[in-house]
């Protein structure tokens, strides 16, 4: 008999398996603009994000995607300024 095991894995917001759309318009000489898409926010105030980073956006219709196999998912974050979000899993919202 196969034993079922539960395993929790935390995926950092800087992981390449998370696909942000659209990304903000910026380069190393400019500050990311969350009005143009997803922007990284680094706790260390550097361009090299660490485990204290986050992504933010003010772009209407911005989205991110993550593919996984499993039985559950947790989303951690906050919504400010009257904004909201919609979570869709396997095409169901």
């Amino acid at each position: 008999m196969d034993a079922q095991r539960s395993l929790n894995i935390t995926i950092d917001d800087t992981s390449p398996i998370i696909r942000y759309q659209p990304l903000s318009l910026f380069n190393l000489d400019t500050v990311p603009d969350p009005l143009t898409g997803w922007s990284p926010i680094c706790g260390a105030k550097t361009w090299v994000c660490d485990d204290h980073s986050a992504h933010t956006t003010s772009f209407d219709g911005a989205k991110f995607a993550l593919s996984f196999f499993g039985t559950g998912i947790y989303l951690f974050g906050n919504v400010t300024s009257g904004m909201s979000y919609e979570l869709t899993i396997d095409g169901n919202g």
Side-chain angles (χ1 to χ4, degrees), residues 42-55:
C42 302
K45 305 249 189 249
T46 67
W47 289 108
V48 179
C49 290
D50 57 15
D51 60 349
H52 301 291
S53 65
H55 274 73

Side-chain angles (χ1 to χ4, degrees), residues 42-74:
C42 302
K45 305 249 189 249
T46 67
W47 289 108
V48 179
C49 290
D50 57 15
D51 60 349
H52 301 291
S53 65
H55 274 73
T56 186
T57 188
S58 299
F59 187 86
D60 188 25
K63 58 186 174 181
F64 69 90
L66 166 69
S67 296
F68 74 98
F69 294 98
T71 58
I73 189 166
Y74 299 95

